[in-house]
Amino acid sequence: MRLSRYFLPILRETPKEAEIASHRLMLRAGMIRQEAAGIYAWLPLGFRVLKKIEQIVREEQDRAGAVELLMPTLQLADLWRESGRYDAYGPEMLRIKDRHERELLYGPTNEEMITEIFRAAIRSYRDLPRNLYHIQWKFRDEQRPRFGVMRGREFLMKDAYSFDVDEAAARLSYNKMFVAYLRTFARMGLKAIPMRAETGPIGGDLSHEFLILAETGESGVFCDKGVLDLPIPDEGVDYDGDLSSIIRQWTHLYAATQDVHDEVRFEREVPPERRLQTRGIEVGQIFYFGTKYSAPMNAVVAGSDGVERPIHGGSYGVGVSRLVGATIEAFHDDAGIKWPEPVAPFRVMILNLKQGAADTDAACEQLYAALAAKGMDTLYHDLDERPGAKFATADLIGVPWQILVGPRGLAEGKVEVKRRADGTRDLMSPADALARLTA
C-alpha cells in the first residue's frame, strides 16, 4: 500500500480525553475515531489490526473443534425472560422496541440465543459434544466508558458456547478452551495468565480470566511468578486427548484476581520471593455454568437410558477489539506503538528519504514490488515529507520493520533496516534486506 493512496489521519497532538497509552496512541496513529461516548469508528490502520487478531482467534477456535456461525446483534427480550436474566442484568443492557412494539435488546452476550438455537436442533446425546462460536459486535451501556476501546460500549467479541451431556464431559470442553486460549494469546505475542475469577452475571461456579499483566489494568492480580515461565502448548496439541496435565501445570500455581483472592492461601502457598502483586488487563474469560440456561429454557437431550436431561453448558469469550488496546499497552514506548509481528497492520514500511530523486524512487519501487511479490504486507511512505517526519510516522504506527532508503546509502549500494521492537539498525544491500525480511 502506498501512503499517498492510503487513509491515515495522524494527529500531531495528544487528545485531552485520552487517559492511557493505548487510547492516546490509537487516536494519534489514526486507528480509530470516536463517534459517541464509548463508540468508535475503526479507521483503515486499526481495522487491519482488528482483522488480524480476529483471524488468529478464529484459527485457534477451529483447531480446538469449535464450529463458527453468526448470530444477530439484536435479540428478543422473551428469550432473556425464559432464562430469568432480562430483569436481572441491569442498566448495562440496551433495551429497545421495534415499530410493532416488540421488545428487543442489543446483545451483550448470547447464552440465551445459542441455547434456543441448540434446543431446536439437538435431541440426543449422540449429537454431543458441540461447541459453537461467533465473532460479533456487542453492546453494553457502560455508565462511564473510558480508556478508548479498553472500556467502550460497543465492542467486538468472540463468544463460544459448549454443549455436553453431563458435568464430566462439560469440563473436558472447558479444558479444550483453556488450552486454545493459551495458544491464541501466545500467537499474538502476548503473555496472558489464566487466573481464577468470579463468574458475575454469566453464572456458574468455575471460571478463569486470562489477563495481560500491566499497571494500567483494571483488575488487581495476585500470582506466583512461576506462571510467567510455563510453556505454551504447541500446534500439535491433541484436543481430543487428555489435556489434564496441561491444565494442572497452569492451575497448580497460585493465580487469582482480586475478587477471589485469598491472602492466607497466597502467603501459605507462595514463597515471598515468588509473590507477584500487580494489575492486569482482562482479554478473555471462560465459564462452566452447568444447567443455568438449559434447565429454565428446556434445552434437553435424551441420554443412553432414554431419559431427557438438561444439557451442561459453558461459554468462552475473547475481547477481540479490546485486544488491540491491550497489545498497545504491553508494547509501546514514548515514540509510539511497537506491534508484535503477528498482529501488525503492515510488516514492513519503506521510507523514501528523498522523494522525487531518481535513485531513491527507483530503489523504493523495486523493493516495494519485490516485497509485494513475496506476499509481504508493506506500506510505502511515498509522500514528499522531511525524513524526520517520516521517522516519526513510522515509529508512531509501529510497523515492525522499516527500510530507510536515502541517497547517501544508495551511493554505497546500501539501505538501512531498522527493527522497531528494539531500535537496532543494520546497513545492507537491498537484496540482503529482502532476504532478511522474507526468510
Side-chain angles (χ1 to χ4, degrees):
M1 177 61 65
R2 297 173 188 273
L3 191 55
S4 59
R5 299 176 184 173
Y6 202 52
F7 182 66
L8 187 64
I10 284 176
L11 303 179
R12 298 302 175 189
E13 302 296 328
T14 299
K16 294 180 180 179
E17 71 272 18
E19 300 178 56
I20 62 173
S22 60
H23 193 191
R24 291 194 298 270
L25 291 171
M26 290 184 76
L27 290 170
R28 285 198 57 219
M31 295 178 64
I32 57 172
R33 176 181 171 81
Q34 181 171 308
E35 300 300 327
I39 300 174
Y40 293 88
W42 287 80
L43 305 183
L45 193 77
F47 188 64
R48 288 180 71 93
V49 178
L50 189 70
K51 298 304 286 185
K52 289 194 173 186
I53 289 174
E54 178 184 324
Q55 186 57 26
I56 291 173
V57 171
R58 175 177 288 111
E59 289 171 3
E60 292 304 323
Q61 288 295 288
D62 293 347
R63 190 192 302 274
V67 179
E68 188 173 10
L69 76 166
L70 183 62
M71 290 176 276
T73 57
L74 294 179
Q75 304 181 32
L76 289 170
D78 287 345
L79 279 178
W80 284 64
R81 289 194 174 98
E82 278 192 64
S83 71
R85 283 208 300 174
Y86 184 72
D87 294 318
Y89 201 88
E92 289 76 25
M93 181 189 289
L94 183 63
R95 296 164 169 85
I96 57 179
K97 290 184 180 180
D98 66 13
R99 67 174 65 193
H100 303 292
E101 293 297 308
R102 284 181 295 233
E103 292 181 287
L104 302 166
L105 58 100
Y106 195 132
T109 184
N110 280 73
E111 282 80 7
E112 284 80 4
M113 182 172 283
I114 198 67
T115 300
E116 187 273 335
I117 291 171
F118 171 86
R119 73 183 179 189
I122 303 297
R123 287 296 178 186
S124 170
Y125 73 96
R126 293 185 179 89
D127 297 318
L128 300 179
R130 286 290 184 270
N131 190 324
L132 303 174
Y133 79 96
H134 72 160
I135 300 174
Q136 179 62 290
W137 291 94
K138 301 284 193 292
F139 189 91
R140 294 175 189 167
D141 200 3
E142 293 277 356
Q143 182 176 12
R144 191 186 174 199
R146 57 195 303 220
F147 302 152
V149 301
M150 297 284 287
R151 190 174 175 180
R153 293 194 293 165
E154 185 182 53
F155 53 94
L156 187 62
M157 181 176 176
K158 185 284 301 182
D159 39 324
Y161 304 90
S162 61
F163 302 91
D164 287 279
V165 69
D166 57 26
E167 179 177 347
R171 288 179 179 267
L172 295 178
S173 294
Y174 184 95
N175 289 349
K176 288 183 180 181
M177 288 293 101
F178 189 108
V179 173
Y181 277 36
L182 292 176
R183 284 193 42 77
T184 297
F185 300 124
R187 279 191 58 190
M188 298 175 192
L190 300 170
K191 174 72 78 170
I193 309 300
M195 300 192 177
R196 291 184 297 107
E198 279 192 335
T199 57
I202 300 298
D205 59 2
L206 174 62
S207 179
H208 286 85
E209 285 184 8
F210 288 74
L211 295 106
I212 299 169
L213 302 185
E215 289 298 329
T216 52
E218 75 280 20
S219 302
V221 298
F222 301 81
C223 68
D224 187 319
K225 291 179 181 178
V227 299
L228 302 177
D229 300 318
L230 292 175
I232 303 296
D234 63 31
E235 63 181 13
V237 62
D238 181 7
Y239 281 103
D240 293 321
D242 184 2
L243 301 174
S244 58
S245 61
I246 298 174
I247 305 302
R248 281 196 301 271
Q249 185 179 39
W250 278 90
T251 58
H252 83 281
L253 295 175
Y254 189 95
T257 62
Q258 188 169 2
D259 293 336
V260 297
H261 172 58
D262 183 337
E263 186 66 23
V264 173
R265 182 184 165 195
F266 184 56
E267 293 182 357
R268 182 178 69 245
E269 295 183 7
V270 185
E273 68 275 9
R274 293 205 335 238
R275 292 174 193 161
L276 179 61
Q277 178 179 347
T278 183
R279 304 196 68 78
I281 301 169
E282 180 196 342
V283 290
Q285 188 166 6
I286 59 178
F287 305 84
Y288 162 67
F289 46 67
T291 61
K292 174 180 171 65
Y293 301 95
S294 59
M297 296 183 69
N298 197 36
V300 298
V301 292
S304 57
D305 56 2
V307 177
E308 290 190 336
R309 299 180 180 87
I311 59 94
H312 284 247
S315 66
Y316 316 92
V318 169
V320 177
S321 53
R322 168 177 266 240
L323 271 162
V324 180
T327 303
I328 295 172
E329 290 295 327
F331 298 104
H332 72 274
D333 60 16
D334 291 341
I337 305 166
K338 302 165 76 170
W339 290 114
E341 290 194 30
V343 299
F346 297 94
R347 185 162 184 259
V348 183
M349 188 169 182
I350 301 170
L351 279 64
N352 188 337
L353 303 185
K354 193 171 183 181
Q355 195 71 39
D359 54 350
T360 57
D361 285 2
C364 287
E365 291 291 346
Q366 291 170 6
L367 284 166
Y368 184 56
L371 289 166
K374 293 287 188 178
M376 195 73 61
D377 282 339
T378 305
L379 182 62
Y380 173 21
H381 196 323
D382 60 345
L383 300 179
D384 187 11
E385 294 181 354
R386 293 178 295 103
K390 293 191 175 188
F391 299 152
T393 295
D395 284 350
L396 173 62
I397 67 176
V399 176
W401 294 95
Q402 301 170 20
I403 304 179
L404 284 55
V405 182
R408 185 178 302 175
L410 282 180
E412 300 175 2
K414 304 287 187 182
V415 296
E416 190 171 21
V417 176
K418 175 183 174 182
R419 186 169 184 257
R420 177 69 178 98
D422 56 15
T424 55
R425 297 168 180 255
D426 294 294
L427 282 171
M428 61 186 71
S429 70
D432 287 343
L434 287 171
R436 171 179 289 190
L437 296 174
T438 59

